[in-house]
Amino acid sequence: MLSEFGYILLFIITAIVFTAVILFVAKLLRPNRPNVEKLTTYESGEEPDGNANVRFNIRFYVIALLFVLFDLELVFLFPWATVFGNETLNHTTDGLWGWFSIVEMLIFVGILILGLAYAWVKGHLDWVRPEVQEPQFKSPVPVNKYDAINKKYS
């Protein structure tokens, strides 16, 4: 007879085996027709231009983090809306539940608005394009040699 931990171990082993079997069956059933188009790098529907190892503007990450932060408010607003409309809670508290939940959500949204205003005032939402600086290095290799190599590998 298994102990409580034995059941948990059996459950974990079953989950791992089930996942491995499903992945193996999917590999057998899926079509595998690679071609040049499928194996190219995909960048928002555009042809890749240049090397991928370039520096990105830090503002890209800041805007992405702000988006995630303010997008998560929906995760909290939906359950609040479902509980806010609960008629049983409103009847048993003579409407106090509704007022409490409205004030609670106004405080939450107010904090979000303050955070957005702070980010706006600090300039985190302004997108400034960096100026492209031409390298000052003078190569001893002629430009036509670079063009020949680029034509060969493109």
Side-chain angles (χ1 to χ4, degrees):
M1 186 148 184
L2 290 174
S3 69
E4 297 296 325
F5 292 115
Y7 287 117
I8 293 172
L9 180 64
L10 186 63
F11 184 76
I12 290 172
I13 291 172
T14 304
I16 291 171
V17 169
F18 180 75
T19 303
V21 167
I22 291 296
L23 289 174
F24 179 71
V25 170
K27 184 176 175 75
L28 290 178
L29 295 178
R30 74 173 180 233
N32 186 15
R33 295 182 212 107
N35 59 31
V36 175
E37 184 88 18
K38 288 182 182 178
L39 296 176
T40 59
T41 306
Y42 179 77
E43 292 180 2
S44 303
E46 297 290 326
E47 286 289 326
D49 186 25
N51 190 358
N53 297 327
V54 295
R55 290 185 175 201
F56 284 102
N57 191 346
I58 191 69
R59 291 182 185 270
F60 172 78
Y61 298 108
V62 171
I63 296 233
L65 286 172
L66 286 172
F67 170 76
V68 169
L69 175 71
F70 290 110
D71 191 46
L72 284 178
E73 72 185 66
L74 291 178
V75 172
F76 295 113
L77 285 175
F78 183 73
W80 170 82
T82 57
V83 172
F84 174 68
N86 190 342
E87 241 179 271
T88 309
L89 286 172
N90 282 326
H91 276 295
T92 55
T93 60
D94 292 329
L96 286 176
W97 173 255
W99 284 108
F100 171 74
S101 54
I102 283 285
V103 169
E104 182 182 41
M105 192 47 59
L106 286 175
I107 291 171
F108 175 71
V109 172
I111 291 171
L112 286 174
I113 289 171
L114 283 175
L116 181 61
Y118 175 79
W120 194 340
V121 166
K122 285 291 191 177
H124 294 305
L125 300 179
D126 298 335
W127 189 265
V128 180
R129 287 181 163 251
E131 292 184 26
V132 178
Q133 297 176 355
E134 292 293 326
Q136 302 299 323
F137 177 74
K138 299 294 183 197
S139 174
V141 180
V143 176
N144 61 356
K145 297 287 185 184
Y146 285 119
D147 291 338
I149 290 173
N150 286 335
K151 282 183 185 176
K152 181 180 178 182
Y153 291 107
S154 63

Coordinates of all heavy atoms in Angstrom, one line a residue, residues 39-125:
L39 N 12.7 28.5 -42.6 CA 13.9 28.5 -41.8 C 14.5 29.9 -41.6 O 15.4 30.0 -40.9 CB 14.9 27.5 -42.4 CG 14.5 26.0 -42.4 CD1 15.6 25.2 -43.1 CD2 14.2 25.5 -41.0
T40 N 13.9 30.9 -42.3 CA 14.4 32.2 -42.1 C 13.9 32.8 -40.8 O 13.0 32.4 -40.2 CB 14.0 33.1 -43.2 OG1 12.5 33.2 -43.3 CG2 14.5 32.7 -44.6
T41 N 14.7 33.8 -40.3 CA 14.3 34.5 -39.1 C 13.1 35.4 -39.4 O 13.0 36.1 -40.4 CB 15.5 35.4 -38.7 OG1 16.6 34.6 -38.6 CG2 15.2 36.0 -37.3
Y42 N 12.2 35.4 -38.4 CA 10.9 36.2 -38.6 C 10.9 37.4 -37.6 O 11.1 37.2 -36.4 CB 9.7 35.3 -38.3 CG 8.4 36.0 -38.4 CD1 7.8 36.3 -39.6 CD2 7.7 36.4 -37.3 CE1 6.6 36.9 -39.7 CE2 6.5 37.1 -37.4 CZ 6.0 37.3 -38.6 OH 4.8 38.0 -38.7
E43 N 10.8 38.6 -38.2 CA 10.8 39.8 -37.4 C 9.6 40.6 -37.7 O 9.7 41.5 -38.6 CB 12.1 40.6 -37.6 CG 13.3 39.9 -37.0 CD 14.6 40.7 -37.3 OE1 14.5 41.8 -37.8 OE2 15.7 40.2 -36.9
S44 N 8.5 40.4 -37.1 CA 7.3 41.1 -37.3 C 6.9 41.2 -38.8 O 6.4 42.3 -39.3 CB 7.5 42.6 -36.8 OG 7.8 42.5 -35.4
G45 N 7.1 40.2 -39.6 CA 6.7 40.2 -41.0 C 7.7 40.8 -41.9 O 7.4 41.0 -43.1
E46 N 8.8 41.3 -41.4 CA 9.8 42.0 -42.2 C 11.0 41.1 -42.4 O 11.3 40.3 -41.6 CB 10.2 43.3 -41.5 CG 9.2 44.3 -41.3 CD 8.7 44.9 -42.6 OE1 9.5 45.1 -43.5 OE2 7.5 45.2 -42.7
E47 N 11.7 41.3 -43.5 CA 12.9 40.6 -43.8 C 13.9 41.1 -42.8 O 14.1 42.3 -42.6 CB 13.4 40.9 -45.2 CG 12.6 40.2 -46.3 CD 12.8 38.7 -46.3 OE1 14.0 38.3 -46.0 OE2 11.9 38.0 -46.6
P48 N 14.7 40.2 -42.2 CA 15.7 40.6 -41.3 C 16.8 41.4 -42.0 O 17.2 41.1 -43.1 CB 16.3 39.3 -40.7 CG 15.5 38.2 -41.2 CD 14.6 38.8 -42.3
D49 N 17.2 42.5 -41.3 CA 18.2 43.4 -42.0 C 19.4 43.5 -41.0 O 19.3 44.1 -39.9 CB 17.6 44.8 -42.2 CG 18.5 45.7 -43.0 OD1 19.4 45.1 -43.7 OD2 18.4 46.9 -42.9
G50 N 20.5 42.9 -41.4 CA 21.7 43.1 -40.5 C 21.8 42.0 -39.5 O 21.1 41.0 -39.5
N51 N 22.7 42.2 -38.5 CA 23.0 41.2 -37.5 C 21.9 41.3 -36.4 O 21.5 42.4 -36.0 CB 24.4 41.4 -37.0 CG 24.8 40.3 -36.1 OD1 24.1 39.4 -35.8 ND2 26.1 40.4 -35.6
A52 N 21.6 40.2 -35.7 CA 20.6 40.2 -34.6 C 21.3 40.7 -33.3 O 20.6 41.0 -32.4 CB 20.0 38.9 -34.5
N53 N 22.6 40.7 -33.3 CA 23.3 41.0 -32.0 C 23.6 42.5 -32.0 O 24.7 43.0 -32.0 CB 24.6 40.3 -31.9 CG 24.4 38.8 -31.8 OD1 23.4 38.4 -31.3 ND2 25.3 38.0 -32.4
V54 N 22.5 43.3 -32.0 CA 22.7 44.7 -31.9 C 22.1 45.2 -30.6 O 21.3 44.5 -29.9 CB 21.9 45.5 -33.1 CG1 22.6 45.1 -34.4 CG2 20.5 45.1 -33.1
R55 N 22.5 46.4 -30.1 CA 21.9 46.9 -28.9 C 20.6 47.5 -29.1 O 20.3 48.3 -30.1 CB 22.9 48.0 -28.4 CG 24.2 47.4 -27.9 CD 25.0 48.5 -27.2 NE 26.2 47.9 -26.7 CZ 26.9 48.5 -25.7 NH1 26.5 49.7 -25.3 NH2 27.9 47.9 -25.3
F56 N 19.7 47.2 -28.2 CA 18.3 47.8 -28.3 C 18.3 49.0 -27.3 O 18.9 49.0 -26.3 CB 17.3 46.8 -27.9 CG 17.0 45.8 -28.9 CD1 17.5 44.5 -28.8 CD2 16.1 46.1 -30.0 CE1 17.2 43.6 -29.8 CE2 15.9 45.2 -31.0 CZ 16.4 43.9 -30.9
N57 N 17.4 49.9 -27.7 CA 17.2 51.1 -26.8 C 16.5 50.6 -25.5 O 15.5 49.8 -25.6 CB 16.3 52.1 -27.5 CG 16.2 53.4 -26.8 OD1 16.6 53.5 -25.6 ND2 15.7 54.4 -27.5
I58 N 16.9 51.0 -24.4 CA 16.4 50.5 -23.1 C 14.9 50.9 -22.9 O 14.2 50.3 -22.2 CB 17.3 51.0 -21.9 CG1 16.9 50.4 -20.6 CG2 17.1 52.5 -21.8 CD1 17.2 48.9 -20.5
R59 N 14.5 52.0 -23.7 CA 13.1 52.4 -23.6 C 12.2 51.3 -24.1 O 11.0 51.3 -23.7 CB 12.9 53.7 -24.4 CG 13.6 54.9 -23.8 CD 13.3 56.1 -24.6 NE 14.1 57.2 -24.1 CZ 13.6 58.1 -23.2 NH1 12.4 57.9 -22.7 NH2 14.3 59.1 -22.7
F60 N 12.6 50.5 -25.0 CA 11.8 49.4 -25.5 C 11.4 48.5 -24.3 O 10.2 48.1 -24.2 CB 12.6 48.5 -26.5 CG 11.9 47.3 -26.9 CD1 10.8 47.3 -27.8 CD2 12.3 46.1 -26.4 CE1 10.2 46.2 -28.2 CE2 11.7 44.9 -26.8 CZ 10.6 45.0 -27.6
Y61 N 12.3 48.2 -23.4 CA 12.1 47.3 -22.3 C 11.2 48.0 -21.3 O 10.3 47.4 -20.6 CB 13.4 46.8 -21.7 CG 14.2 46.0 -22.6 CD1 15.4 46.5 -23.2 CD2 13.8 44.7 -23.0 CE1 16.1 45.8 -24.0 CE2 14.6 44.0 -23.8 CZ 15.7 44.5 -24.4 OH 16.4 43.8 -25.2
V62 N 11.4 49.3 -21.1 CA 10.6 50.1 -20.1 C 9.2 50.1 -20.6 O 8.3 49.9 -19.8 CB 11.2 51.5 -19.9 CG1 10.3 52.4 -19.1 CG2 12.6 51.4 -19.3
I63 N 9.0 50.4 -21.8 CA 7.6 50.4 -22.4 C 6.9 49.1 -22.3 O 5.8 48.9 -21.9 CB 7.6 51.0 -23.8 CG1 8.1 52.4 -23.8 CG2 6.2 50.8 -24.4 CD1 7.3 53.4 -24.4
A64 N 7.7 48.0 -22.5 CA 7.1 46.7 -22.4 C 6.7 46.3 -21.0 O 5.7 45.8 -20.7 CB 8.1 45.6 -22.9
L65 N 7.6 46.7 -20.0 CA 7.3 46.5 -18.6 C 6.1 47.3 -18.2 O 5.2 46.8 -17.4 CB 8.5 46.8 -17.7 CG 9.6 45.7 -17.8 CD1 10.8 46.3 -17.0 CD2 9.1 44.4 -17.2
L66 N 6.0 48.5 -18.6 CA 4.8 49.3 -18.3 C 3.5 48.7 -18.9 O 2.5 48.7 -18.3 CB 5.0 50.8 -18.8 CG 6.0 51.6 -18.0 CD1 6.2 52.9 -18.6 CD2 5.4 51.8 -16.6
F67 N 3.6 48.2 -20.1 CA 2.5 47.6 -20.7 C 2.0 46.4 -19.9 O 0.8 46.2 -19.6 CB 2.8 47.1 -22.2 CG 1.7 46.3 -22.7 CD1 0.5 46.8 -23.2 CD2 1.9 44.9 -22.8 CE1 -0.5 46.0 -23.7 CE2 0.9 44.1 -23.3 CZ -0.3 44.7 -23.8
V68 N 3.0 45.5 -19.5 CA 2.6 44.4 -18.7 C 2.0 44.8 -17.4 O 1.0 44.2 -16.9 CB 3.9 43.5 -18.5 CG1 3.6 42.4 -17.4 CG2 4.3 42.8 -19.8
L69 N 2.6 45.8 -16.8 CA 2.1 46.3 -15.5 C 0.6 46.8 -15.6 O -0.2 46.4 -14.8 CB 3.0 47.4 -15.0 CG 2.5 48.1 -13.7 CD1 2.7 47.2 -12.5 CD2 3.2 49.4 -13.5
F70 N 0.3 47.6 -16.6 CA -1.0 48.1 -16.7 C -2.0 47.2 -17.4 O -3.2 47.3 -17.3 CB -1.0 49.5 -17.4 CG -0.3 50.6 -16.6 CD1 0.9 51.1 -16.9 CD2 -1.0 51.0 -15.4 CE1 1.5 52.1 -16.2 CE2 -0.4 52.0 -14.7 CZ 0.9 52.5 -15.0
D71 N -1.4 46.2 -18.1 CA -2.3 45.2 -18.6 C -2.8 44.2 -17.6 O -3.9 43.6 -17.7 CB -1.5 44.4 -19.7 CG -2.5 43.5 -20.5 OD1 -3.5 44.0 -20.9 OD2 -2.1 42.4 -20.8
L72 N -2.0 44.0 -16.5 CA -2.4 43.1 -15.4 C -3.6 43.6 -14.7 O -4.3 42.9 -13.9 CB -1.3 42.9 -14.5 CG -0.2 41.9 -15.0 CD1 0.9 41.8 -14.0 CD2 -0.8 40.6 -15.3
E73 N -4.0 44.9 -14.8 CA -5.2 45.4 -14.1 C -6.4 44.6 -14.5 O -7.4 44.5 -13.7 CB -5.3 46.9 -14.3 CG -5.8 47.3 -15.7 CD -5.9 48.8 -15.9 OE1 -4.8 49.4 -15.9 OE2 -7.0 49.3 -16.0
L74 N -6.5 44.2 -15.8 CA -7.6 43.4 -16.2 C -7.8 42.1 -15.4 O -8.9 41.6 -15.2 CB -7.5 43.1 -17.7 CG -7.6 44.3 -18.6 CD1 -7.5 43.9 -20.1 CD2 -9.0 45.0 -18.4
V75 N -6.6 41.5 -15.0 CA -6.7 40.3 -14.2 C -7.4 40.5 -12.9 O -8.1 39.7 -12.4 CB -5.2 39.8 -14.0 CG1 -5.2 38.6 -13.0 CG2 -4.6 39.4 -15.3
F76 N -7.3 41.7 -12.4 CA -7.9 42.1 -11.1 C -9.3 42.6 -11.3 O -10.2 42.5 -10.4 CB -7.1 43.0 -10.3 CG -5.8 42.5 -9.9 CD1 -4.6 42.9 -10.4 CD2 -5.7 41.4 -9.0 CE1 -3.4 42.4 -10.0 CE2 -4.5 40.9 -8.6 CZ -3.3 41.4 -9.1
L77 N -9.6 43.3 -12.4 CA -10.9 43.9 -12.7 C -12.0 42.8 -13.0 O -13.1 43.0 -12.5 CB -10.8 44.9 -13.8 CG -10.2 46.2 -13.5 CD1 -10.1 47.1 -14.7 CD2 -10.9 46.9 -12.4
F78 N -11.6 41.8 -13.7 CA -12.7 40.8 -14.0 C -13.2 40.1 -12.8 O -14.5 40.0 -12.6 CB -12.1 39.8 -15.1 CG -13.2 38.8 -15.5 CD1 -14.2 39.2 -16.4 CD2 -13.1 37.5 -15.1 CE1 -15.2 38.3 -16.8 CE2 -14.1 36.6 -15.5 CZ -15.1 37.0 -16.3
P79 N -12.4 39.5 -11.9 CA -13.0 38.8 -10.7 C -13.7 39.8 -9.9 O -14.8 39.5 -9.3 CB -11.8 38.3 -10.0 CG -10.7 38.3 -10.9 CD -11.0 39.3 -12.0
W80 N -13.3 41.1 -9.8 CA -14.0 42.1 -9.0 C -15.4 42.3 -9.6 O -16.3 42.4 -8.8 CB -13.2 43.4 -9.0 CG -14.0 44.5 -8.4 CD1 -14.1 44.8 -7.1 CD2 -14.7 45.5 -9.1 NE1 -14.9 45.9 -7.0 CE2 -15.3 46.3 -8.2 CE3 -15.0 45.7 -10.5 CZ2 -16.1 47.4 -8.6 CZ3 -15.8 46.7 -10.9 CH2 -16.4 47.6 -9.9
A81 N -15.5 42.4 -10.9 CA -16.8 42.6 -11.5 C -17.7 41.5 -11.3 O -18.9 41.7 -11.1 CB -16.6 42.8 -13.0
T82 N -17.2 40.2 -11.2 CA -18.1 39.1 -11.0 C -18.6 39.1 -9.5 O -19.7 38.7 -9.3 CB -17.4 37.8 -11.3 OG1 -16.2 37.7 -10.6 CG2 -17.1 37.7 -12.8
V83 N -17.7 39.4 -8.6 CA -18.1 39.4 -7.2 C -19.0 40.7 -6.9 O -19.9 40.6 -6.1 CB -16.9 39.4 -6.3 CG1 -17.2 39.6 -4.8 CG2 -16.1 38.1 -6.5
F84 N -18.7 41.8 -7.5 CA -19.4 43.0 -7.3 C -20.9 42.8 -7.6 O -21.8 43.4 -6.9 CB -18.9 44.1 -8.2 CG -19.7 45.4 -8.1 CD1 -19.7 46.2 -7.0 CD2 -20.4 45.9 -9.2 CE1 -20.5 47.3 -6.9 CE2 -21.1 47.0 -9.2 CZ -21.2 47.7 -8.0
G85 N -21.2 42.1 -8.6 CA -22.6 41.8 -9.0 C -23.3 40.7 -8.3 O -24.4 40.3 -8.6
N86 N -22.7 40.2 -7.2 CA -23.3 39.1 -6.4 C -24.5 39.6 -5.6 O -24.4 40.4 -4.7 CB -22.3 38.5 -5.5 CG -22.7 37.2 -4.9 OD1 -23.9 36.9 -4.8 ND2 -21.8 36.5 -4.3
E87 N -25.7 39.2 -6.0 CA -26.9 39.7 -5.4 C -27.1 39.3 -3.9 O -27.6 40.0 -3.1 CB -28.2 39.2 -6.2 CG -29.0 40.4 -6.8 CD -30.1 39.9 -7.5 OE1 -29.9 39.7 -8.7 OE2 -31.2 39.7 -6.9
T88 N -26.6 38.1 -3.6 CA -26.7 37.6 -2.3 C -25.9 38.5 -1.3 O -26.4 38.8 -0.2 CB -26.2 36.2 -2.2 OG1 -26.8 35.4 -3.2 CG2 -26.5 35.5 -0.8
L89 N -24.7 38.8 -1.7 CA -23.9 39.7 -0.8 C -24.5 41.1 -0.7 O -24.5 41.7 0.4 CB -22.5 39.8 -1.3 CG -21.6 38.6 -1.2 CD1 -20.3 38.8 -1.9 CD2 -21.3 38.4 0.3
N90 N -25.1 41.6 -1.7 CA -25.7 42.9 -1.7 C -27.0 42.9 -0.8 O -27.2 43.9 -0.1 CB -26.0 43.4 -3.1 CG -24.8 44.0 -3.8 OD1 -23.9 44.5 -3.2 ND2 -24.8 43.8 -5.1
H91 N -27.8 41.8 -0.9 CA -29.0 41.8 0.0 C -28.7 41.6 1.4 O -29.3 42.2 2.3 CB -29.9 40.6 -0.5 CG -30.8 41.0 -1.7 ND1 -31.8 42.0 -1.5 CD2 -30.8 40.6 -2.9 CE1 -32.4 42.1 -2.7 NE2 -31.8 41.3 -3.6
T92 N -27.7 40.7 1.7 CA -27.4 40.5 3.1 C -26.7 41.7 3.8 O -26.8 41.8 5.1 CB -26.4 39.2 3.3 OG1 -25.3 39.4 2.5 CG2 -27.2 38.0 2.8
T93 N -26.1 42.5 3.1 CA -25.4 43.7 3.7 C -26.2 45.0 3.4 O -25.7 46.1 3.7 CB -24.0 43.8 3.2 OG1 -24.0 44.0 1.7 CG2 -23.1 42.7 3.5
D94 N -27.4 44.9 2.9 CA -28.2 46.1 2.6 C -27.5 47.1 1.7 O -27.5 48.3 1.9 CB -28.7 46.8 3.9 CG -29.6 45.9 4.7 OD1 -30.4 45.1 4.0 OD2 -29.7 46.0 5.9
G95 N -26.7 46.6 0.7 CA -26.1 47.5 -0.2 C -24.7 47.9 0.2 O -24.0 48.6 -0.6
L96 N -24.3 47.7 1.4 CA -23.0 48.1 1.8 C -21.8 47.4 1.0 O -20.8 48.0 0.8 CB -22.8 47.9 3.3 CG -23.5 48.9 4.2 CD1 -23.3 48.5 5.7 CD2 -23.1 50.3 4.0
W97 N -22.1 46.2 0.7 CA -21.1 45.4 -0.1 C -20.8 46.1 -1.4 O -19.7 46.2 -1.9 CB -21.6 44.0 -0.4 CG -20.7 43.3 -1.3 CD1 -20.9 43.0 -2.6 CD2 -19.4 42.8 -1.0 NE1 -19.8 42.3 -3.1 CE2 -18.8 42.2 -2.1 CE3 -18.6 42.8 0.2 CZ2 -17.6 41.6 -2.2 CZ3 -17.3 42.2 0.1 CH2 -16.9 41.6 -1.1
G98 N -21.8 46.6 -2.1 CA -21.6 47.3 -3.4 C -20.8 48.6 -3.2 O -19.9 48.9 -4.0
W99 N -21.1 49.4 -2.1 CA -20.4 50.6 -1.9 C -18.9 50.3 -1.5 O -18.0 51.0 -2.0 CB -21.0 51.4 -0.8 CG -22.3 52.1 -1.3 CD1 -23.6 51.9 -1.0 CD2 -22.3 53.2 -2.2 NE1 -24.4 52.7 -1.7 CE2 -23.6 53.6 -2.5 CE3 -21.3 53.9 -2.9 CZ2 -24.0 54.6 -3.3 CZ3 -21.7 55.0 -3.8 CH2 -23.0 55.3 -4.0
F100 N -18.7 49.3 -0.7 CA -17.4 48.9 -0.3 C -16.6 48.5 -1.5 O -15.4 48.9 -1.7 CB -17.4 47.7 0.7 CG -16.1 47.2 1.0 CD1 -15.1 47.8 1.8 CD2 -15.7 45.9 0.5 CE1 -13.9 47.3 2.0 CE2 -14.5 45.4 0.7 CZ -13.6 46.1 1.5
S101 N -17.1 47.6 -2.4 CA -16.4 47.2 -3.6 C -16.1 48.3 -4.6 O -15.1 48.3 -5.2 CB -17.1 46.0 -4.2 OG -18.4 46.3 -4.5
I102 N -17.1 49.2 -4.7 CA -16.9 50.4 -5.6 C -15.7 51.2 -5.1 O -14.8 51.6 -5.8 CB -18.1 51.2 -5.7 CG1 -19.1 50.6 -6.6 CG2 -17.8 52.6 -6.3 CD1 -18.8 50.6 -8.1
V103 N -15.7 51.5 -3.8 CA -14.6 52.3 -3.2 C -13.3 51.6 -3.3 O -12.2 52.2 -3.7 CB -14.9 52.7 -1.8 CG1 -13.7 53.3 -1.1 CG2 -16.1 53.6 -1.7
E104 N -13.3 50.3 -3.1 CA -12.1 49.5 -3.2 C -11.5 49.6 -4.6 O -10.3 49.8 -4.8 CB -12.4 48.1 -2.8 CG -11.3 47.1 -2.8 CD -11.7 45.7 -2.5 OE1 -12.8 45.3 -2.9 OE2 -11.0 45.1 -1.7
M105 N -12.4 49.4 -5.6 CA -11.9 49.5 -7.0 C -11.5 50.9 -7.4 O -10.5 51.0 -8.2 CB -13.0 48.9 -7.9 CG -12.4 48.6 -9.3 SD -10.9 47.7 -9.4 CE -11.2 46.2 -8.6
L106 N -12.1 51.9 -6.9 CA -11.7 53.3 -7.2 C -10.3 53.5 -6.7 O -9.5 54.2 -7.3 CB -12.7 54.3 -6.7 CG -14.0 54.3 -7.5 CD1 -15.0 55.3 -6.8 CD2 -13.8 54.8 -8.9
I107 N -10.0 53.0 -5.5 CA -8.7 53.2 -4.9 C -7.7 52.4 -5.8 O -6.6 53.0 -6.1 CB -8.7 52.7 -3.4 CG1 -9.5 53.6 -2.6 CG2 -7.2 52.5 -2.9 CD1 -9.7 53.1 -1.1
F108 N -8.0 51.2 -6.2 CA -7.1 50.4 -7.0 C -6.8 51.1 -8.4 O -5.7 51.3 -8.8 CB -7.7 49.0 -7.3 CG -6.9 48.2 -8.2 CD1 -5.6 47.7 -7.8 CD2 -7.3 47.9 -9.5 CE1 -4.9 46.9 -8.7 CE2 -6.6 47.1 -10.4 CZ -5.4 46.6 -10.0
V109 N -7.9 51.6 -9.0 CA -7.7 52.3 -10.3 C -7.0 53.6 -10.1 O -6.2 54.1 -10.9 CB -9.1 52.4 -11.0 CG1 -8.9 53.3 -12.2 CG2 -9.6 51.1 -11.4
G110 N -7.2 54.3 -9.0 CA -6.5 55.5 -8.7 C -5.0 55.3 -8.5 O -4.2 56.1 -9.0
I111 N -4.6 54.2 -7.9 CA -3.2 53.9 -7.7 C -2.6 53.7 -9.1 O -1.5 54.1 -9.4 CB -3.0 52.7 -6.8 CG1 -3.4 53.2 -5.4 CG2 -1.6 52.2 -6.9 CD1 -3.4 52.0 -4.4
L112 N -3.3 53.0 -10.0 CA -2.9 52.7 -11.3 C -2.7 54.0 -12.1 O -1.7 54.2 -12.8 CB -3.8 51.8 -12.1 CG -3.7 50.3 -11.7 CD1 -4.8 49.5 -12.4 CD2 -2.4 49.8 -12.0
I113 N -3.7 54.9 -11.9 CA -3.6 56.2 -12.6 C -2.4 57.0 -12.1 O -1.7 57.7 -12.9 CB -4.9 57.0 -12.5 CG1 -6.0 56.3 -13.3 CG2 -4.8 58.4 -12.9 CD1 -7.4 56.8 -13.1
L114 N -2.2 57.0 -10.8 CA -1.0 57.7 -10.3 C 0.3 57.1 -10.8 O 1.2 57.9 -11.2 CB -1.0 57.6 -8.7 CG -1.9 58.5 -8.0 CD1 -1.9 58.2 -6.5 CD2 -1.6 60.0 -8.3
G115 N 0.3 55.8 -11.0 CA 1.5 55.2 -11.6 C 1.7 55.6 -13.0 O 2.8 55.8 -13.5
L116 N 0.6 55.6 -13.8 CA 0.7 56.0 -15.2 C 1.1 57.5 -15.3 O 2.0 57.9 -16.1 CB -0.6 55.8 -15.8 CG -0.7 56.2 -17.3 CD1 0.3 55.4 -18.1 CD2 -2.1 56.1 -17.8
A117 N 0.6 58.4 -14.4 CA 1.0 59.8 -14.4 C 2.5 59.9 -14.0 O 3.2 60.7 -14.6 CB 0.1 60.6 -13.4
Y118 N 2.9 59.1 -13.1 CA 4.4 59.2 -12.7 C 5.2 58.8 -13.9 O 6.2 59.5 -14.2 CB 4.6 58.2 -11.5 CG 6.0 58.1 -11.1 CD1 6.6 59.1 -10.4 CD2 6.8 57.1 -11.5 CE1 8.0 59.1 -10.0 CE2 8.1 57.0 -11.1 CZ 8.7 58.0 -10.4 OH 10.0 57.9 -10.0
A119 N 4.9 57.7 -14.6 CA 5.7 57.3 -15.7 C 5.6 58.3 -16.8 O 6.6 58.6 -17.5 CB 5.1 55.9 -16.2
W120 N 4.5 59.0 -17.0 CA 4.3 60.0 -18.0 C 5.2 61.2 -17.7 O 5.9 61.7 -18.6 CB 2.9 60.4 -18.1 CG 2.5 61.2 -19.4 CD1 3.3 61.9 -20.2 CD2 1.2 61.3 -19.9 NE1 2.6 62.4 -21.2 CE2 1.3 62.1 -21.0 CE3 0.0 60.8 -19.5 CZ2 0.2 62.5 -21.8 CZ3 -1.1 61.2 -20.3 CH2 -1.0 62.0 -21.4
V121 N 5.1 61.7 -16.4 CA 5.9 62.8 -16.0 C 7.4 62.6 -16.1 O 8.2 63.4 -16.5 CB 5.5 63.3 -14.6 CG1 6.5 64.3 -14.0 CG2 4.1 63.9 -14.6
K122 N 7.8 61.4 -15.7 CA 9.3 61.0 -15.8 C 9.8 60.8 -17.2 O 11.0 60.7 -17.5 CB 9.5 59.7 -15.0 CG 9.5 59.9 -13.5 CD 10.7 60.7 -13.1 CE 10.8 60.7 -11.6 NZ 12.0 61.4 -11.2
G123 N 8.8 60.8 -18.2 CA 9.2 60.7 -19.6 C 9.4 59.3 -20.1 O 10.0 59.0 -21.1
H124 N 9.0 58.3 -19.3 CA 9.2 56.9 -19.7 C 8.3 56.5 -20.9 O 8.5 55.5 -21.5 CB 8.9 55.9 -18.5 CG 9.9 56.1 -17.4 ND1 11.2 55.9 -17.6 CD2 9.7 56.3 -16.1 CE1 11.9 56.1 -16.5 NE2 11.0 56.3 -15.5
L125 N 7.3 57.3 -21.2 CA 6.4 56.9 -22.3 C 6.8 57.7 -23.6 O 6.2 57.4 -24.6 CB 4.9 57.3 -21.9 CG 4.4 56.6 -20.7 CD1 3.0 57.0 -20.4 CD2 4.4 55.1 -20.9

